[in-house]
Amino acid sequence: AQLVRPLYLNLLNKNQTEFAKKRLVKALENYDWRIGTGFLSTSFILYVLADIDIEYAYKLLENEEMPGWLAMPKNGATTIWESWEGTMAQGGIASLNHYSKGACCEWLFKEMCGIRVDGENHFMIAPKPGGHFTYANAEYQSVYGKVVSGWKKQGEKYSFEIEIPANTTADIILPNGTKQTITVGKYTF
């Protein structure tokens, strides 16, 4: 937790940043890639790890052991719990739909599927597939209409399905560096 916020907020000089990144990765390795951040850092950790190496973010996201996001559905959750243990914690009064740990969902939209509002009537779509996931899809109901971005892994390649609403444009940036501006419609790349 003490490494995540300074990295996310760019509070360190170059040498401190490199040290903090290495220390964070080492700490996660020592903790078997389970999440150990507190309330104030949980929403930032996937962004910080993706900045170091996208595969680190996916490694933490894919952890199925407690504490880890995928430990919850593995234990029957259909929402994101306040406590890793669900209702068994805190005398049975823990929330079963909580923001802190659920903040990772923002990363799923903005990074995994790459949907970002980038000005009036304009989006940036820059999906970042990775990890062991073979499929991801997100829909965002913007004030302009529905924006969709999804990807599928097919062998060693990815296909991308993107949909942009009327009266908008979007800059598409694919992982291979391909850039293109599109208007209304459904696209496959």
Side-chain angles (χ1 to χ4, degrees):
Q2 294 175 355
L3 298 168
V4 173
R5 283 181 303 226
L7 286 168
Y8 182 80
L9 298 170
N10 296 309
L11 299 176
L12 306 173
N13 67 34
K14 185 178 179 180
N15 290 338
Q16 292 169 328
T17 297
E18 288 309 309
F19 176 82
K21 286 178 178 181
K22 289 176 185 172
R23 183 66 190 109
L24 177 60
V25 171
K26 184 67 174 165
L28 285 163
E29 287 172 352
N30 290 340
Y31 200 47
D32 295 324
W33 291 91
R34 293 176 291 156
I35 189 154
T37 52
F39 183 82
L40 296 176
S41 296
T42 300
S43 61
F44 303 142
I45 192 164
L46 292 173
Y47 290 103
V48 169
L49 290 173
D51 184 55
I52 299 169
D53 182 333
I54 191 75
E55 289 304 321
Y56 289 150
Y58 278 109
K59 192 169 188 174
L60 181 65
L61 182 65
E62 291 177 337
N63 174 35
E64 293 183 4
E65 302 304 317
M66 197 179 319
W69 286 290
L70 293 184
M72 291 182 224
K74 187 177 175 183
N75 288 300
T78 58
T79 57
I80 298 180
W81 299 335
E82 175 180 7
S83 175
W84 297 111
E85 297 84 8
T87 57
M88 303 308 291
Q90 303 172 359
I93 61 168
S95 167
L96 295 179
N97 194 6
H98 200 263
Y99 163 79
S100 175
K101 293 178 189 80
C104 71
C105 293
E106 178 187 60
W107 189 87
L108 300 176
F109 275 82
K110 284 186 172 181
E111 300 297 321
M112 183 182 221
C113 292
I115 299 173
R116 292 178 184 251
V117 176
D118 192 36
E120 188 173 333
N121 296 64
H122 188 74
F123 300 94
M124 181 174 71
I125 310 293
K128 295 182 180 109
H132 293 96
F133 291 97
T134 58
Y135 171 82
N137 189 59
E139 292 184 8
Y140 171 60
Q141 291 293 339
S142 78
V143 296
Y144 310 109
K146 181 171 69 172
V147 179
V148 178
S149 177
W151 52 264
K152 285 184 186 176
K153 186 173 185 178
Q154 298 167 324
E156 294 300 314
K157 295 184 178 190
Y158 291 93
S159 65
F160 300 90
E161 299 286 330
I162 297 169
E163 181 179 343
I164 303 300
N167 301 314
T168 66
T169 58
D171 291 330
I172 309 301
I173 304 170
L174 299 178
N176 66 4
T178 302
K179 296 179 182 180
Q180 181 178 348
T181 300
I182 61 173
T183 59
V184 62
K186 294 181 181 181
Y187 298 83
T188 301
F189 299 96

